[in-house]
Amino acid sequence: MGIWIAAAIVLILAVLPLGVCIRYNDAGFLLKVIAGPLKITVFPRKRKQKKQKKKPDQVKKGQQIESSASEEEPPRPPEAQPEQKEKGGSLTRFLPLIKLGLRFLGDFRRKLRLDNLYLRLILAGDDPCDLAVNYGRIWAAVGNLMPRLERLFVIKKRDIQVECDFAASETCVVAHLDITITLGRLLVLALVYGVRVLIEFLSMKRKGGGEK
């Protein structure tokens, strides 16, 4: 029974989504971290309450303490030592790590999923001809962009709208973006590329590229 419970817990953790939730509208940016069903706000942070102002008696006491401390002889700063420039390693030995990092970014990108892609663009202008031209250009740009996004991410839900507002003073945008990756995929990537990085370091050490 315990084995089945442990297996169920591992399975739940493996499919647990991790990611970020980005929102933008007239109120500004909103950034949340996604951890399963939880969404924790990272930006903007809640403002801290202002500290109470000190009473006049406390201010006088603080000034007296500062004045007595300033009368004491300040400590002498330590003598500045000449900086030694860090020596560079061989670029030939570093290139495999760069290639490995690029492959990791490519695999990581393909494991990401766009759970929600919402974009609403409100074009401003009082000239119908200009708005019609801009409207066509925007949809042409969207048509070119979407195939590229689909090659980069798995898009689960999308909603893209372009509107015209003759009374608006400036063009506005509303954007919702939820990007996630499951914990299982993330751990598999970390394990695979962690082993590959370890192999590269061992190879560098055998060739005399490691730190002495």
Side-chain angles (χ1 to χ4, degrees):
M1 187 66 179
I3 296 176
W4 291 108
I5 295 175
I9 293 173
V10 171
L11 181 60
I12 292 171
L13 290 176
V15 297
L16 184 72
L18 303 173
V20 293
C21 171
I22 303 171
R23 298 285 185 271
Y24 178 76
N25 52 28
D26 59 340
F29 279 101
L30 175 67
L31 177 63
K32 294 184 178 182
V33 174
I34 301 172
L38 300 177
K39 290 186 178 180
I40 304 168
T41 302
V42 177
F43 180 85
R45 294 182 178 180
K46 293 182 179 180
R47 295 181 179 179
K48 297 181 179 179
Q49 296 180 351
K50 294 182 179 180
K51 296 181 179 179
Q52 295 180 352
K53 294 183 178 180
K54 293 182 178 180
K55 295 180 180 179
D57 295 340
Q58 293 177 343
V59 173
K60 289 180 180 179
K61 290 180 181 179
Q63 290 176 352
Q64 290 176 359
I65 294 172
E66 289 178 0
S67 61
S68 61
S70 60
E71 291 176 358
E72 297 179 359
E73 187 177 350
R76 295 182 180 179
E79 296 181 0
Q81 297 180 353
E83 295 183 359
Q84 295 181 354
K85 290 186 177 180
E86 188 176 3
K87 295 182 179 179
S90 172
L91 178 61
T92 305
R93 289 172 178 156
F94 187 65
L95 282 177
L97 294 177
I98 296 178
K99 295 178 181 178
L100 192 61
L102 293 175
R103 286 200 298 270
F104 170 78
L105 291 176
D107 287 345
F108 179 75
R109 180 194 64 198
R110 285 187 287 270
K111 297 292 188 298
L112 292 173
R113 187 175 68 177
L114 273 175
D115 292 328
N116 180 28
L117 173 61
Y118 175 80
L119 182 64
R120 180 167 164 252
L121 188 65
I122 303 101
L123 301 177
D126 53 1
D127 189 340
C129 294
D130 290 342
L131 276 180
V133 172
N134 292 333
Y135 184 87
R137 288 176 178 175
I138 293 297
W139 274 119
V142 170
N144 293 329
L145 178 63
M146 289 310 301
R148 298 181 182 181
L149 286 177
E150 290 171 350
R151 286 196 296 268
L152 295 175
F153 307 102
V154 175
I155 303 176
K156 186 177 179 181
K157 180 182 177 182
R158 76 185 74 178
D159 185 6
I160 300 176
Q161 305 173 17
V162 181
E163 302 174 2
C164 297
D165 189 351
F166 295 98
S169 59
E170 62 177 350
T171 298
C172 301
V173 62
V174 178
H176 298 175
L177 190 65
D178 294 348
I179 305 175
T180 62
I181 183 173
T182 60
L183 180 59
R185 289 180 175 179
L186 193 60
L187 291 177
V188 169
L189 281 174
L191 179 62
V192 171
Y193 281 92
V195 171
R196 291 179 181 178
V197 168
L198 180 60
I199 292 172
E200 288 293 339
F201 278 134
L202 292 176
S203 176
M204 289 171 62
K205 192 173 181 180
R206 285 196 299 268
K207 294 177 182 178
E211 291 186 359
K212 296 181 180 179

